[in-house]
Amino acid sequence: MDNRKVSKNLFNFFEPIMIVVFWLLLFLAPVVLSEFNDVFNWNHVFRVWISFIPYLIIFLINRYVLLPYLFFEKKRIYFLMSALLLIAVMVIGDFYFGGDILEKENRMERAEQQLPTQRFHNPPPTRSKNLPPQRPPRELPPYVGFVVISILIIGFDTGLRISVKWVRTEQMQSFIEKENMQMQLAYLRNQISPHFFMNTLNNIHALIDIDTDEAKESIIRLSKLMRHLLYDCDAETIPITKEVEFIRNYVALMRLRYSNKIRIELSVPSQLPEKQIPPLLFTSFVENAFKHGVSYQKPMSISISFSCTDDNLHFQVRNNHVGSESENTYSGIGIGNSRKRLDLIYGDRYKLDIEDKKDEFIVSLNIPL
C-alpha cells in the first residue's frame, strides 16, 4: 500500500476522531474543573452532563438533517433559518422542562458560601450621603450562554463537514487528473504504435536481402522500443537514460525509414543525471516533427537535442515546414494533451515554447529535475 492510500485511509478516520475528541473534552470538563475538598461531588457532575443533552441533540440534528438536506443542497437560507429555529425551540424546551435547575443550584451554592463570610468578616457597608445607592451587578439571562454555545457547536460541526468535504473533493479531483494522465499516456502509446511499427517492419523486411546486419540491428531497436512502451511506461517515472534511449531508438528507426533523403540530427550529453522523469514526455513533439517535417520535394532537416543541468532538463526539436501553415500547426490533439499533462505534473514549474517561424517549427521544453 503506497503512501497516498495510507494517507487516504487515515483521513477517513479524521472526522469521527475530531467529533469524539470534542465531545469527550466537553464531558470531561466538569470532572477536571470541579472544585472539591474531601469528597468528589458526582451529583453536580451528573447534573452538568444532563445539561449537555440539549447541545448533543442540536449537534445530531445539525449533522444528520440540516447539513445534508439543506446546507449541501444549496438551501443556505433555509439552513440558517432552521438552525436558529432549532436553537429557539431548544431554549424554550430547556426553560420549561427544568434546564435552568443547574443555574439555580449554582446560585444557591454561591450564596451559601458567601453568607458566612459576609456575616462575620465583612462590616456593613458604609455609603456616603452624596453617593447614589449601589446597584447589584446585572447578570445575563441563562439562555444567553445556551444560545452562544449552541451557535458554536453548529459552527464547529458545519466547519468540520465543509473542511472534510472540500478535502475529499480535492482527493477525487486528484484521482480524476491521475486517470486522465494515464489515459493520455495510453493515447501516446497507441499513437506511436500502428503506422510506425508497420512502416518499420516493411523497411526491415526490405533490408534483409540488402544489409542483413543492419536488419538485425533494426529488429533489436524495434524490440527495445516495444519493451519500453509495454513495460517501462507503466511506472509513473522512469530514469532519464531510459527515456533518452527510447528517443535514440525511435530516431534510428526513422533514419532507416527515410534513409539519406532527410537530414536527422540527435544531440545527447555524454553524461545524463541519475534523475527520474515521467515516461513518453517528449514523444508527441518528436512524432510531430517527423509528421510535419518530412518532404521529398525539397531538402528537409530535423534536429533533436537534450541538455542537462543539476536541476533542469532542456529538450528542443526543430523541423522544417511542409505545405501550408494550416497543415503544420502545433495546436493538434497530441500537443494539446502533452501540454495538459505537463500542467498536471509540473504546474507552473515547467516552460514550453512553441515557435512557428516562416521556415521551421521550434519546440523548446524545460522541466525541473
Side-chain angles (χ1 to χ4, degrees):
M1 184 178 294
D2 58 17
N3 292 333
R4 282 175 297 183
K5 289 183 179 179
V6 172
S7 299
K8 184 177 180 180
N9 292 334
L10 290 176
F11 180 76
N12 291 333
F13 295 100
F14 172 78
E15 188 176 14
I17 288 175
M18 288 294 296
I19 294 172
V20 170
V21 169
F22 172 79
W23 285 104
L24 187 62
L25 291 175
L26 190 64
F27 276 87
L28 284 178
V31 177
V32 176
L33 301 179
S34 293
E35 296 181 2
F36 60 94
N37 296 323
D38 298 328
V39 181
F40 187 78
N41 192 352
W42 277 108
N43 291 330
H44 174 76
V45 172
F46 286 137
R47 289 196 298 270
V48 174
W49 284 350
I50 292 173
S51 70
F52 287 165
I53 292 178
Y55 302 132
L56 182 60
I57 295 174
I58 291 174
F59 173 83
L60 294 175
I61 293 176
N62 181 69
R63 169 158 287 265
Y64 296 107
V65 178
L66 301 186
L67 286 175
Y69 294 105
L70 294 178
F71 187 86
F72 291 117
E73 292 296 329
K74 308 299 182 182
K75 301 175 183 177
R76 307 291 167 75
I77 300 298
Y78 293 109
F79 167 78
L80 182 60
M81 294 172 60
S82 300
L84 294 176
L85 180 61
L86 174 63
I87 294 175
V89 170
M90 297 305 296
V91 167
I92 295 173
D94 185 63
F95 179 79
Y96 281 103
F97 293 100
D100 196 33
I101 295 176
L102 182 65
E103 181 63 25
K104 292 178 180 178
E105 291 180 352
N106 290 336
R107 291 179 182 176
M108 293 177 60
E109 289 178 359
R110 289 197 298 267
E112 291 176 356
Q113 292 174 359
Q114 293 174 0
L115 281 176
T117 305
Q118 294 176 355
R119 183 178 303 169
F120 297 106
H121 298 284
N122 293 338
T126 58
R127 186 171 67 246
S128 173
K129 296 181 179 180
N130 297 327
L131 295 176
Q134 294 182 355
R135 296 179 179 180
R138 297 179 60 183
E139 294 185 2
L140 293 175
Y143 64 81
V144 173
F146 184 94
V147 171
V148 171
I149 295 176
S150 300
I151 293 174
L152 291 176
I153 288 176
I154 291 178
F156 163 77
D157 187 39
T158 304
L160 181 62
R161 286 293 299 273
I162 292 174
S163 301
V164 171
K165 189 176 180 66
W166 178 79
V167 172
R168 285 177 177 165
T169 302
E170 290 292 313
Q171 289 179 341
M172 181 59 67
Q173 185 65 28
S174 176
F175 174 77
I176 293 173
E177 290 177 350
K178 182 181 177 181
E179 290 294 316
N180 289 337
M181 289 174 58
Q182 292 177 348
M183 290 176 62
Q184 291 174 18
L185 189 59
Y187 169 80
L188 289 175
R189 293 179 185 172
N190 296 330
Q191 194 179 36
I192 296 171
S193 304
H195 295 91
F196 171 75
F197 286 139
M198 181 182 67
N199 293 328
T200 303
L201 288 172
N202 288 335
N203 293 332
I204 293 174
H205 180 267
L207 269 178
I208 291 175
D209 296 330
I210 302 173
D211 191 339
T212 306
D213 293 336
E214 183 65 26
K216 291 180 181 179
E217 185 66 25
S218 298
I219 291 174
I220 293 174
R221 291 196 185 100
L222 183 60
S223 67
K224 291 180 179 179
L225 209 67
M226 294 178 67
R227 187 183 301 111
H228 183 79
L229 289 172
L230 293 174
Y231 302 110
D232 294 340
C233 293
D234 286 337
E236 291 187 6
T237 59
I238 60 174
I240 296 176
T241 52
K242 282 191 175 183
E243 187 67 13
V244 171
E245 184 64 22
F246 172 79
I247 299 296
R248 285 184 190 273
N249 292 322
Y250 185 95
V251 170
L253 292 174
M254 296 306 289
R255 283 197 180 108
L256 175 65
R257 176 180 176 182
Y258 295 112
S259 186
N260 295 325
K261 298 174 183 178
I262 307 297
R263 184 167 62 88
I264 303 173
E265 297 179 353
L266 176 63
S267 176
V268 179
S270 57
Q271 294 292 331
L272 293 170
E274 296 180 359
K275 298 292 184 66
Q276 301 272 328
I277 60 173
L280 300 180
L281 206 58
F282 316 107
T283 306
S284 291
F285 306 115
V286 175
E287 185 191 26
N288 273 274
F290 284 100
K291 180 179 179 181
H292 300 297
V294 173
S295 174
Y296 299 112
Q297 300 176 358
K298 57 181 180 179
M300 306 295 291
S301 66
I302 297 175
S303 175
I304 303 168
S305 64
F306 289 91
S307 60
C308 297
T309 64
D310 292 337
D311 300 322
N312 291 277
L313 174 64
H314 181 72
F315 164 81
Q316 186 180 78
V317 57
R318 295 170 175 261
N319 65 275
N320 299 117
H321 272 293
V322 177
S324 62
E325 292 185 4
S326 61
E327 296 174 352
N328 294 281
T329 178
Y330 261 79
S331 59
I333 296 176
I335 299 300
N337 284 344
S338 296
R339 191 186 292 274
K340 290 179 182 177
R341 188 173 175 224
L342 289 165
D343 287 337
L344 293 175
I345 297 172
Y346 295 108
D348 58 353
R349 296 181 296 118
Y350 80 97
K351 184 178 182 182
L352 175 64
D353 293 323
I354 299 178
E355 301 179 61
D356 188 357
K357 295 185 176 181
K358 182 178 179 181
D359 297 324
E360 66 176 350
F361 285 114
I362 303 176
V363 177
S364 299
L365 174 61
N366 194 74
I367 59 173
L369 296 177

